[in-house]
């Protein structure tokens, strides 16, 4: 009994009707925690095919393209594809029509793109990078961690003027989406108590600050794309693990595992990074795979 697909559908229907999407409950009585860009990603598939689940079909094709672009020969490609399609966590996402795994496959694809065209070269201007970063952040909050690991060091060495432009473009890209989604709200009080940021921010402030700082430190230790994938999967996994252990401490093991005290599918935020990183950890496959990007 999961309702992640329903949360996206009620958000899409609300936006199409010009309503505020974050105070409407689905069939399980839950409100949507989907940020604006994620809702927009699911909208074409809902309008064309009547189900947001078709987003996963598109993302699987995207993942395949990432694998063929990222890895150098068929051995790495087969390993990466098999790791995905035989993963119980990915199959769970397919069965429940969830958008979580798909969201982070899109994120890892964008991060590899930025690595190749912004970090390794200067083919992509920093203004466009700011736009891409803003769009990714408007899908799910935890994407902040891999983005920091990838971009912080590069942005740090930009000139003051470039930093101001980067930040301004990022903010100006974010504002129209927030206005579109939040303007239909009848009052500030409604936004205050019914918004996706509140639902996604389940981590205590201390833990958030710790992993935010850790991501920043790791950014300055990145030497290759494998580091980006490894560090991202590490930070994402343990940021979820910290909440998971805290919930066990507060409510007990039985409540967390068997009474839906915690949604363990949140660990899937780290899986796309891990799946692409794992073939690189093999001494036979990894040396050639790193050369591709």
């Amino acid at each position: 009994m999961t309702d992640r697909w329903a949360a996206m559908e009620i958000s899409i229907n609300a936006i199409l009707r010009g309503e505020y999407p974050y105070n409407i409950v689905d069939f399980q009585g839950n409100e949507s925690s989907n940020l604006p860009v994620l809702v927009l990603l699911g909208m074409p598939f809902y309008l064309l095919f009547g189900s947001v689940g078709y987003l996963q079909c598109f993302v699987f094709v995207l993942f395949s393209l990432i694998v063929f672009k990222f890895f150098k020969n068929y051995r790495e490609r087969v390993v990466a594809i098999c790791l995905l399609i035989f993963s119980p966590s990915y199959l769970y996402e397919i069965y429940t029509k969830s958008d979580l795994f798909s969201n982070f496959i899109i994120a890892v694809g964008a991060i590899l793109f930025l690595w190749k065209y912004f970090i390794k070269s200067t083919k992509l201007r920093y203004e466009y990078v700011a736009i891409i970063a803003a769009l990714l952040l408007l899908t799910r909050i935890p994407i902040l961690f891999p983005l920091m690991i990838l971009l912080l060091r590069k942005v740090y060495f930009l000139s003051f003027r470039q930093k101001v432009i980067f930040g301004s473009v990022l903010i100006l890209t974010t504002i129209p989406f927030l206005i579109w989604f939040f303007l239909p709200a009848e009052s500030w009080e409604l936004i205050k108590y019914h918004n996706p940021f509140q639902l996604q921010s389940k981590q205590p402030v201390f833990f958030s600050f710790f992993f935010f700082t850790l991501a920043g430190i790791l950014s300055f230790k990145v030497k290759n794309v494998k580091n980006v994938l490894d560090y991202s999967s590490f930070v994402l996994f343990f940021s979820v693990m910290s909440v998971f252990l805290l919930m066990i401490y507060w409510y007990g093991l039985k409540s967390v595992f068997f009474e839906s005290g915690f949604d363990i599918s949140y660990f899937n935020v780290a899986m796309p990074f891990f799946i692409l990183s794992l073939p690189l950890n093999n001494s036979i496959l990894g040396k050639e795979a790193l050369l591709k990007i």
Side-chain angles (χ1 to χ4, degrees), residues 112-156:
L112 292 176
F113 174 81
L114 293 175
W115 171 268
K116 184 173 183 179
Y117 294 105
F118 181 63
I119 304 299
K120 292 286 288 183
S121 68
T122 56
K123 294 180 180 178
L124 191 67
R125 289 182 57 84
Y126 59 89
E127 296 95 329
Y128 300 126
V129 174
I131 293 173
I132 294 171
L135 294 176
L136 289 174
L137 289 172
L138 285 172
T139 57
R140 269 193 173 84
I141 294 174
I143 290 177
L144 174 64
F145 296 137
L147 278 178
M148 284 189 62
I149 291 169
L150 177 74
L151 297 176
L152 183 61
R153 181 180 179 181
K154 185 82 170 184
V155 173
Y156 178 80

Short mmCIF file of all heavy atoms in Angstrom, two decimals, residues 112-156:
data_model
loop_
_atom_site.label_atom_id
_atom_site.label_comp_id
_atom_site.label_asym_id
_atom_site.label_seq_id
_atom_site.Cartn_x
_atom_site.Cartn_y
_atom_site.Cartn_z
N LEU A 112 26.65 13.63 -14.32
CA LEU A 112 27.67 13.14 -15.25
C LEU A 112 27.83 14.10 -16.43
O LEU A 112 28.94 14.33 -16.92
CB LEU A 112 27.32 11.74 -15.74
CG LEU A 112 27.38 10.62 -14.69
CD1 LEU A 112 26.92 9.31 -15.28
CD2 LEU A 112 28.79 10.49 -14.11
N PHE A 113 26.71 14.67 -16.88
CA PHE A 113 26.76 15.66 -17.95
C PHE A 113 27.54 16.90 -17.51
O PHE A 113 28.39 17.40 -18.26
CB PHE A 113 25.33 16.04 -18.34
CG PHE A 113 25.23 17.16 -19.34
CD1 PHE A 113 25.41 16.90 -20.69
CD2 PHE A 113 24.95 18.45 -18.93
CE1 PHE A 113 25.32 17.93 -21.63
CE2 PHE A 113 24.86 19.49 -19.85
CZ PHE A 113 25.05 19.22 -21.21
N LEU A 114 27.25 17.38 -16.30
CA LEU A 114 27.96 18.55 -15.78
C LEU A 114 29.43 18.25 -15.55
O LEU A 114 30.29 19.13 -15.75
CB LEU A 114 27.30 19.02 -14.49
CG LEU A 114 25.89 19.59 -14.61
CD1 LEU A 114 25.33 19.92 -13.25
CD2 LEU A 114 25.89 20.83 -15.51
N TRP A 115 29.75 17.04 -15.12
CA TRP A 115 31.15 16.66 -14.93
C TRP A 115 31.92 16.79 -16.25
O TRP A 115 33.01 17.35 -16.30
CB TRP A 115 31.25 15.24 -14.38
CG TRP A 115 32.68 14.73 -14.38
CD1 TRP A 115 33.30 14.03 -15.37
CD2 TRP A 115 33.66 14.94 -13.36
NE1 TRP A 115 34.60 13.76 -15.03
CE2 TRP A 115 34.85 14.32 -13.80
CE3 TRP A 115 33.64 15.57 -12.12
CZ2 TRP A 115 36.01 14.31 -13.05
CZ3 TRP A 115 34.80 15.58 -11.36
CH2 TRP A 115 35.97 14.96 -11.82
N LYS A 116 31.32 16.27 -17.31
CA LYS A 116 32.01 16.23 -18.60
C LYS A 116 32.14 17.61 -19.23
O LYS A 116 33.19 17.95 -19.80
CB LYS A 116 31.28 15.28 -19.55
CG LYS A 116 31.98 15.09 -20.88
CD LYS A 116 31.30 14.02 -21.72
CE LYS A 116 32.06 13.79 -23.03
NZ LYS A 116 31.43 12.72 -23.84
N TYR A 117 31.08 18.42 -19.13
CA TYR A 117 31.06 19.67 -19.89
C TYR A 117 31.29 20.92 -19.05
O TYR A 117 31.38 22.02 -19.60
CB TYR A 117 29.73 19.79 -20.63
CG TYR A 117 29.56 18.75 -21.71
CD1 TYR A 117 28.71 17.66 -21.52
CD2 TYR A 117 30.28 18.84 -22.90
CE1 TYR A 117 28.57 16.69 -22.52
CE2 TYR A 117 30.14 17.88 -23.90
CZ TYR A 117 29.29 16.81 -23.70
OH TYR A 117 29.16 15.86 -24.68
N PHE A 118 31.39 20.77 -17.73
CA PHE A 118 31.65 21.94 -16.88
C PHE A 118 32.87 21.75 -15.99
O PHE A 118 33.71 22.64 -15.87
CB PHE A 118 30.42 22.25 -16.02
CG PHE A 118 30.60 23.46 -15.14
CD1 PHE A 118 30.80 24.71 -15.69
CD2 PHE A 118 30.57 23.34 -13.75
CE1 PHE A 118 30.97 25.83 -14.88
CE2 PHE A 118 30.73 24.45 -12.93
CZ PHE A 118 30.91 25.69 -13.49
N ILE A 119 32.99 20.56 -15.37
CA ILE A 119 34.12 20.32 -14.48
C ILE A 119 35.38 19.96 -15.28
O ILE A 119 36.45 20.54 -15.07
CB ILE A 119 33.80 19.19 -13.48
CG1 ILE A 119 32.51 19.51 -12.70
CG2 ILE A 119 34.98 18.99 -12.52
CD1 ILE A 119 32.57 20.76 -11.87
N LYS A 120 35.26 19.01 -16.19
CA LYS A 120 36.41 18.57 -16.97
C LYS A 120 36.76 19.53 -18.11
O LYS A 120 37.88 19.53 -18.61
CB LYS A 120 36.15 17.18 -17.55
CG LYS A 120 36.07 16.08 -16.52
CD LYS A 120 37.44 15.74 -15.97
CE LYS A 120 38.27 15.01 -17.00
NZ LYS A 120 39.59 14.59 -16.48
N SER A 121 35.82 20.32 -18.55
CA SER A 121 36.05 21.28 -19.63
C SER A 121 35.22 22.52 -19.35
O SER A 121 34.51 22.59 -18.36
CB SER A 121 35.67 20.66 -20.98
OG SER A 121 34.28 20.45 -21.06
N THR A 122 35.30 23.50 -20.24
CA THR A 122 34.53 24.73 -20.08
C THR A 122 33.54 24.91 -21.23
O THR A 122 33.22 26.03 -21.62
CB THR A 122 35.48 25.95 -20.01
OG1 THR A 122 36.30 25.95 -21.19
CG2 THR A 122 36.34 25.89 -18.77
N LYS A 123 33.05 23.80 -21.76
CA LYS A 123 32.12 23.87 -22.88
C LYS A 123 30.77 24.42 -22.45
O LYS A 123 30.02 24.97 -23.27
CB LYS A 123 31.95 22.48 -23.50
CG LYS A 123 33.21 21.94 -24.16
CD LYS A 123 32.97 20.56 -24.75
CE LYS A 123 34.23 20.01 -25.40
NZ LYS A 123 34.03 18.65 -25.95
N LEU A 124 30.42 24.24 -21.17
CA LEU A 124 29.13 24.70 -20.67
C LEU A 124 29.35 25.90 -19.76
O LEU A 124 30.11 25.82 -18.79
CB LEU A 124 28.44 23.57 -19.91
CG LEU A 124 26.97 23.77 -19.53
CD1 LEU A 124 26.11 23.81 -20.79
CD2 LEU A 124 26.50 22.65 -18.61
N ARG A 125 28.71 27.01 -20.05
CA ARG A 125 28.87 28.22 -19.24
C ARG A 125 28.22 28.04 -17.88
O ARG A 125 27.22 27.33 -17.74
CB ARG A 125 28.27 29.42 -19.96
CG ARG A 125 29.06 29.87 -21.19
CD ARG A 125 28.44 31.10 -21.82
NE ARG A 125 28.35 32.21 -20.86
CZ ARG A 125 29.35 33.05 -20.61
NH1 ARG A 125 30.52 32.90 -21.20
NH2 ARG A 125 29.17 34.03 -19.74
N TYR A 126 28.77 28.74 -16.90
CA TYR A 126 28.30 28.57 -15.52
C TYR A 126 26.86 29.05 -15.34
O TYR A 126 26.16 28.60 -14.43
CB TYR A 126 29.25 29.28 -14.55
CG TYR A 126 29.40 30.76 -14.77
CD1 TYR A 126 28.55 31.67 -14.17
CD2 TYR A 126 30.42 31.25 -15.58
CE1 TYR A 126 28.69 33.03 -14.37
CE2 TYR A 126 30.58 32.61 -15.78
CZ TYR A 126 29.71 33.50 -15.18
OH TYR A 126 29.85 34.85 -15.37
N GLU A 127 26.39 29.96 -16.18
CA GLU A 127 24.99 30.40 -16.08
C GLU A 127 24.03 29.24 -16.38
O GLU A 127 23.02 29.07 -15.70
CB GLU A 127 24.70 31.55 -17.06
CG GLU A 127 25.49 32.81 -16.78
CD GLU A 127 26.76 32.89 -17.62
OE1 GLU A 127 27.31 31.82 -17.94
OE2 GLU A 127 27.18 34.01 -17.95
N TYR A 128 24.37 28.43 -17.38
CA TYR A 128 23.53 27.28 -17.72
C TYR A 128 23.61 26.20 -16.63
O TYR A 128 22.63 25.51 -16.37
CB TYR A 128 23.96 26.70 -19.07
CG TYR A 128 23.83 27.68 -20.21
CD1 TYR A 128 24.90 27.97 -21.05
CD2 TYR A 128 22.63 28.34 -20.45
CE1 TYR A 128 24.78 28.87 -22.09
CE2 TYR A 128 22.49 29.24 -21.49
CZ TYR A 128 23.58 29.51 -22.31
OH TYR A 128 23.44 30.41 -23.33
N VAL A 129 24.79 26.11 -16.01
CA VAL A 129 24.96 25.16 -14.90
C VAL A 129 24.05 25.56 -13.74
O VAL A 129 23.42 24.71 -13.09
CB VAL A 129 26.43 25.12 -14.43
CG1 VAL A 129 26.57 24.24 -13.19
CG2 VAL A 129 27.33 24.61 -15.55
N ALA A 130 23.95 26.85 -13.48
CA ALA A 130 23.07 27.34 -12.41
C ALA A 130 21.61 26.99 -12.69
O ALA A 130 20.86 26.62 -11.78
CB ALA A 130 23.23 28.85 -12.25
N ILE A 131 21.20 27.09 -13.96
CA ILE A 131 19.83 26.73 -14.33
C ILE A 131 19.57 25.25 -14.10
O ILE A 131 18.55 24.86 -13.52
CB ILE A 131 19.56 27.11 -15.80
CG1 ILE A 131 19.59 28.62 -15.98
CG2 ILE A 131 18.22 26.54 -16.27
CD1 ILE A 131 19.52 29.07 -17.43
N ILE A 132 20.52 24.41 -14.54
CA ILE A 132 20.38 22.97 -14.36
C ILE A 132 20.33 22.62 -12.88
O ILE A 132 19.51 21.80 -12.43
CB ILE A 132 21.54 22.22 -15.06
CG1 ILE A 132 21.45 22.41 -16.57
CG2 ILE A 132 21.52 20.73 -14.70
CD1 ILE A 132 22.66 21.89 -17.33
N ALA A 133 21.21 23.24 -12.08
CA ALA A 133 21.24 22.98 -10.64
C ALA A 133 19.91 23.36 -9.98
O ALA A 133 19.39 22.63 -9.13
CB ALA A 133 22.39 23.74 -9.99
N ALA A 134 19.36 24.50 -10.38
CA ALA A 134 18.08 24.95 -9.81
C ALA A 134 16.96 23.97 -10.13
O ALA A 134 16.14 23.63 -9.27
CB ALA A 134 17.74 26.34 -10.33
N LEU A 135 16.92 23.50 -11.38
CA LEU A 135 15.88 22.55 -11.78
C LEU A 135 16.00 21.24 -11.02
O LEU A 135 14.99 20.65 -10.61
CB LEU A 135 15.96 22.30 -13.29
CG LEU A 135 15.65 23.50 -14.19
CD1 LEU A 135 15.87 23.14 -15.65
CD2 LEU A 135 14.23 24.00 -13.96
N LEU A 136 17.23 20.78 -10.80
CA LEU A 136 17.43 19.54 -10.03
C LEU A 136 17.00 19.72 -8.59
O LEU A 136 16.37 18.84 -8.00
CB LEU A 136 18.90 19.12 -10.10
CG LEU A 136 19.40 18.59 -11.44
CD1 LEU A 136 20.91 18.36 -11.40
CD2 LEU A 136 18.70 17.29 -11.81
N LEU A 137 17.34 20.86 -8.00
CA LEU A 137 16.97 21.11 -6.60
C LEU A 137 15.46 21.20 -6.43
O LEU A 137 14.95 20.95 -5.32
CB LEU A 137 17.64 22.38 -6.10
CG LEU A 137 19.15 22.30 -5.89
CD1 LEU A 137 19.72 23.68 -5.59
CD2 LEU A 137 19.48 21.34 -4.75
N LEU A 138 14.76 21.55 -7.49
CA LEU A 138 13.31 21.65 -7.42
C LEU A 138 12.62 20.32 -7.71
O LEU A 138 11.42 20.28 -7.98
CB LEU A 138 12.81 22.72 -8.41
CG LEU A 138 13.05 24.16 -7.97
CD1 LEU A 138 12.70 25.12 -9.09
CD2 LEU A 138 12.24 24.49 -6.71
N THR A 139 13.37 19.23 -7.67
CA THR A 139 12.76 17.89 -7.72
C THR A 139 12.74 17.27 -6.33
O THR A 139 11.69 16.86 -5.85
CB THR A 139 13.50 16.96 -8.69
OG1 THR A 139 14.88 16.86 -8.31
CG2 THR A 139 13.42 17.50 -10.11
N ARG A 140 13.92 17.23 -5.67
CA ARG A 140 14.00 16.72 -4.30
C ARG A 140 15.15 17.38 -3.56
O ARG A 140 16.22 17.58 -4.12
CB ARG A 140 14.15 15.20 -4.25
CG ARG A 140 12.83 14.46 -4.18
CD ARG A 140 12.99 12.99 -3.82
NE ARG A 140 11.69 12.38 -3.60
CZ ARG A 140 10.91 11.90 -4.57
NH1 ARG A 140 11.32 11.96 -5.82
NH2 ARG A 140 9.75 11.36 -4.29
N ILE A 141 14.95 17.67 -2.30
CA ILE A 141 15.94 18.38 -1.49
C ILE A 141 17.27 17.63 -1.38
O ILE A 141 18.34 18.24 -1.47
CB ILE A 141 15.37 18.69 -0.09
CG1 ILE A 141 14.22 19.69 -0.20
CG2 ILE A 141 16.46 19.23 0.84
CD1 ILE A 141 13.50 19.95 1.11
N PRO A 142 17.30 16.28 -1.16
CA PRO A 142 18.60 15.60 -1.00
C PRO A 142 19.53 15.70 -2.19
O PRO A 142 20.72 15.43 -2.05
CB PRO A 142 18.17 14.13 -0.77
CG PRO A 142 16.79 14.21 -0.23
CD PRO A 142 16.16 15.37 -0.91
N ILE A 143 19.03 16.11 -3.35
CA ILE A 143 19.91 16.28 -4.51
C ILE A 143 20.94 17.38 -4.24
O ILE A 143 21.97 17.46 -4.92
CB ILE A 143 19.07 16.56 -5.77
CG1 ILE A 143 18.31 15.29 -6.18
CG2 ILE A 143 19.92 17.05 -6.94
CD1 ILE A 143 17.39 15.45 -7.37
N LEU A 144 20.68 18.20 -3.23
CA LEU A 144 21.66 19.21 -2.83
C LEU A 144 23.02 18.60 -2.53
O LEU A 144 24.06 19.18 -2.87
CB LEU A 144 21.15 19.96 -1.60
CG LEU A 144 22.11 20.98 -0.97
CD1 LEU A 144 22.40 22.12 -1.93
CD2 LEU A 144 21.55 21.51 0.34
N PHE A 145 23.05 17.41 -1.91
CA PHE A 145 24.32 16.80 -1.51
C PHE A 145 25.22 16.44 -2.71
O PHE A 145 26.37 16.87 -2.76
CB PHE A 145 24.08 15.58 -0.62
CG PHE A 145 23.41 15.90 0.68
CD1 PHE A 145 22.39 15.10 1.18
CD2 PHE A 145 23.79 17.01 1.43
CE1 PHE A 145 21.77 15.39 2.39
CE2 PHE A 145 23.18 17.31 2.63
CZ PHE A 145 22.17 16.51 3.11
N PRO A 146 24.73 15.66 -3.68
CA PRO A 146 25.61 15.39 -4.84
C PRO A 146 25.95 16.63 -5.64
O PRO A 146 27.04 16.72 -6.20
CB PRO A 146 24.81 14.37 -5.67
CG PRO A 146 23.42 14.45 -5.18
CD PRO A 146 23.49 14.86 -3.75
N LEU A 147 25.03 17.60 -5.70
CA LEU A 147 25.34 18.84 -6.41
C LEU A 147 26.47 19.60 -5.73
O LEU A 147 27.35 20.16 -6.39
CB LEU A 147 24.10 19.72 -6.50
CG LEU A 147 23.10 19.40 -7.60
CD1 LEU A 147 21.90 20.32 -7.51
CD2 LEU A 147 23.74 19.50 -8.98
N MET A 148 26.46 19.62 -4.41
CA MET A 148 27.55 20.27 -3.68
C MET A 148 28.87 19.56 -3.92
O MET A 148 29.90 20.20 -4.14
CB MET A 148 27.23 20.30 -2.18
CG MET A 148 26.22 21.33 -1.77
SD MET A 148 26.12 21.46 0.03
CE MET A 148 27.78 22.01 0.45
N ILE A 149 28.84 18.24 -3.85
CA ILE A 149 30.06 17.46 -4.06
C ILE A 149 30.64 17.73 -5.45
O ILE A 149 31.85 17.85 -5.63
CB ILE A 149 29.77 15.96 -3.87
CG1 ILE A 149 29.47 15.68 -2.39
CG2 ILE A 149 30.94 15.09 -4.35
CD1 ILE A 149 28.92 14.30 -2.12
N LEU A 150 29.77 17.87 -6.43
CA LEU A 150 30.21 18.10 -7.79
C LEU A 150 30.66 19.54 -8.03
O LEU A 150 31.71 19.78 -8.65
CB LEU A 150 29.08 17.76 -8.76
CG LEU A 150 29.36 18.03 -10.25
CD1 LEU A 150 30.32 16.99 -10.80
CD2 LEU A 150 28.07 18.06 -11.05
N LEU A 151 29.89 20.52 -7.55
CA LEU A 151 30.04 21.89 -8.01
C LEU A 151 30.75 22.84 -7.05
O LEU A 151 31.29 23.86 -7.49
CB LEU A 151 28.67 22.48 -8.33
CG LEU A 151 27.87 21.82 -9.46
CD1 LEU A 151 26.50 22.47 -9.57
CD2 LEU A 151 28.62 21.93 -10.77
N LEU A 152 30.74 22.55 -5.76
CA LEU A 152 31.19 23.56 -4.80
C LEU A 152 32.62 24.02 -5.06
O LEU A 152 32.91 25.22 -5.04
CB LEU A 152 31.07 23.02 -3.37
CG LEU A 152 31.45 24.03 -2.27
CD1 LEU A 152 30.53 25.25 -2.33
CD2 LEU A 152 31.37 23.39 -0.90
N ARG A 153 33.52 23.09 -5.30
CA ARG A 153 34.91 23.46 -5.53
C ARG A 153 35.05 24.34 -6.77
O ARG A 153 35.77 25.35 -6.75
CB ARG A 153 35.78 22.21 -5.67
CG ARG A 153 37.24 22.52 -5.88
CD ARG A 153 38.06 21.25 -6.01
NE ARG A 153 39.46 21.54 -6.25
CZ ARG A 153 40.40 20.62 -6.43
NH1 ARG A 153 40.07 19.33 -6.39
NH2 ARG A 153 41.65 20.97 -6.65
N LYS A 154 34.37 23.97 -7.84
CA LYS A 154 34.44 24.73 -9.09
C LYS A 154 33.88 26.14 -8.89
O LYS A 154 34.47 27.13 -9.33
CB LYS A 154 33.66 24.01 -10.18
CG LYS A 154 33.75 24.64 -11.56
CD LYS A 154 35.00 24.25 -12.27
CE LYS A 154 34.96 24.68 -13.74
NZ LYS A 154 36.14 24.21 -14.48
N VAL A 155 32.74 26.25 -8.22
CA VAL A 155 32.11 27.55 -7.99
C VAL A 155 32.97 28.39 -7.05
O VAL A 155 33.07 29.62 -7.19
CB VAL A 155 30.69 27.36 -7.42
CG1 VAL A 155 30.08 28.70 -7.01
CG2 VAL A 155 29.80 26.67 -8.45
N TYR A 156 33.63 27.75 -6.09
CA TYR A 156 34.48 28.46 -5.13
C TYR A 156 35.59 29.23 -5.84
O TYR A 156 35.96 30.34 -5.42
CB TYR A 156 35.09 27.45 -4.15
CG TYR A 156 36.04 28.07 -3.14
CD1 TYR A 156 35.55 28.71 -2.01
CD2 TYR A 156 37.42 28.00 -3.33
CE1 TYR A 156 36.42 29.27 -1.08
CE2 TYR A 156 38.29 28.56 -2.41
CZ TYR A 156 37.78 29.19 -1.30
OH TYR A 156 38.65 29.75 -0.39
#
